[in-house]
Amino acid sequence: MGAGGQEDPSAADKGLTALYATFAVFGLLGGGIYNLLGPNITLFFGCSFYILYVGSFLYYNHHSNQAFVITAGALLGMGAGLLWAGQGAMMTSYPTPERKGMYISIFWSIFNLGGVLGGFIPFLLNYHSDHGSVNDQTYIAFMCIMVLGTVLTLVLAKPESVIRDDGTHASSSQYPDVRSEVFHVLMLFLDWRMLLLAPACFASNFFYSYQFNNVNGVLFNVRTRAFNNVFYWGAQMLGSVVIGYILDHGHKRRKIRGMIGCSLLFIISAGIWGGGLANQLGYGRTNPPPYKLDFKLGSAYAGPFVLYFSYGLLDAMFQTLCYWMIGALANDARVLSRYSGFYKGVQSAGAAVAWYTDNKGFSYLGELILNWSLMGASFPLFYILLILAVKDADPSVLAKETGNIQKTVMSEEIDNRNKSDMP
């Protein structure tokens, strides 16, 4: 809703800066921790900190204590690193190669269904409110839902028990040691494929501070901000399904499907950011809009609403493409957990910079241009990655990839046994 549901964005900006700073570290470490602990423990602890973070805003409603929000944000960064690394590993490793786009879009739709619900709750609970901040009941409702989600992580199936449609296992049943995981995580920074993906990772959450605070938070009143989010996250469901279908079914060859998806998304992103530029020229930090828009205003509301809806569409399509790229680089859950952790770590570093920049009063127009530039710079690197690293998913290639994965797993297991036998 912008500003964490508050009228003044200062506390939320500081909390989110702390959140993404620690997220950057634990996003990188999350893949290794997931490999060591498995999904249940990793995701349980990851989800638990979300409850604390929402509770800090409930406390802020009564005491205006930013220290609690900032501390809870830093702790949530640790939890989010664990949650998203584990989620990314399961989402990209469980499907067969030709169905990865569909699995990513299914996840993204479920994920954003939570966002739709998260928009309806404050909309209904604050419908008659004339305050700039949401009420206590809004935060309490969020916390109850988060408690349920946290408990459900304890019943997830273990990756080694998951068998894909083609009969292959999603992961080895053997877990590596700590030294091995630290080594593999550090080696990601020397992997040219990850380096090509890094700018897209950095850009993929950079725009949230601008869209949430400076579009939704500045242009609309509190109930309309919540109403808008129903459609923002609904647009993400639509966007992920569309791009997921194209990436799975656009052509027989996986490389060509990726090229088609990249080209289409480049055109869409240019159009949406261009519309954002036209909207942003009408107001700024030093010349705010004369009044807050309400969803009942009709034509005055329609244009900014469509723009915010389109931002949600673009976010889902861009991140689905990023995950599809990651999933196209490997099939094993252990490898993909590290790749997903790298993605979330670099992504969170970018988000930390973005929230810090917004808190320091960077101009709205400057933020928009920076967001557009970062996303635009990612596409040429996508093409290079597709040409050099993504393999077409034909049976002979898959057999070779599976054999290489099995050799790598066996080699690591032998090394680990040898180390344990040493005095």
Side-chain angles (χ1 to χ4, degrees), residues 65-233:
N65 187 339
Q66 292 190 3
F68 186 15
V69 175
I70 296 169
T71 302
L75 292 172
L76 176 55
M78 297 166 54
L82 302 180
L83 171 63
W84 280 93
Q87 172 274 324
M90 291 185 287
M91 179 181 67
T92 55
S93 66
Y94 285 7
T96 53
E98 69 276 6
R99 299 181 69 191
K100 293 196 177 188
M102 185 188 73
Y103 270 59
I104 295 169
S105 65
I106 288 173
F107 159 74
W108 211 259
S109 296
I110 297 171
F111 166 54
N112 290 293
L113 185 60
V116 171
L117 180 61
F120 267 122
I121 289 173
F123 174 68
L124 295 174
L125 294 179
N126 297 272
Y127 186 84
H128 298 292
S129 173
D130 56 1
H131 297 290
S133 304
V134 299
N135 56 29
D136 290 356
Q137 289 83 355
T138 303
Y139 294 121
I140 293 171
F142 285 156
M143 292 172 72
C144 291
I145 294 171
M146 290 173 175
V147 168
L148 175 62
T150 301
V151 173
L152 287 175
T153 63
L154 298 176
V155 299
L156 285 169
K158 296 184 182 299
E160 59 268 20
S161 68
V162 176
I163 301 175
R164 304 186 184 100
D165 291 345
D166 60 4
T168 59
H169 286 264
S171 180
S172 165
S173 60
Q174 297 293 322
Y175 291 101
D177 61 25
V178 175
R179 287 177 297 176
S180 173
E181 278 305 313
V182 171
F183 172 77
H184 283 98
V185 168
L186 292 176
M187 288 300 293
L188 292 174
F189 291 94
L190 300 178
D191 188 331
W192 61 271
R193 297 170 301 177
M194 292 294 101
L195 296 179
L196 285 174
L197 196 61
C201 301
F202 193 84
S204 58
N205 266 185
F206 201 92
F207 42 74
Y208 279 165
S209 61
Y210 172 76
Q211 293 174 4
F212 294 163
N213 280 3
N214 306 332
V215 178
N216 199 32
V218 170
L219 293 179
F220 306 99
N221 61 25
V222 66
R223 73 175 183 180
T224 305
R225 283 153 57 187
F227 180 78
N228 290 346
N229 273 349
V230 173
F231 292 92
Y232 180 91
W233 300 113

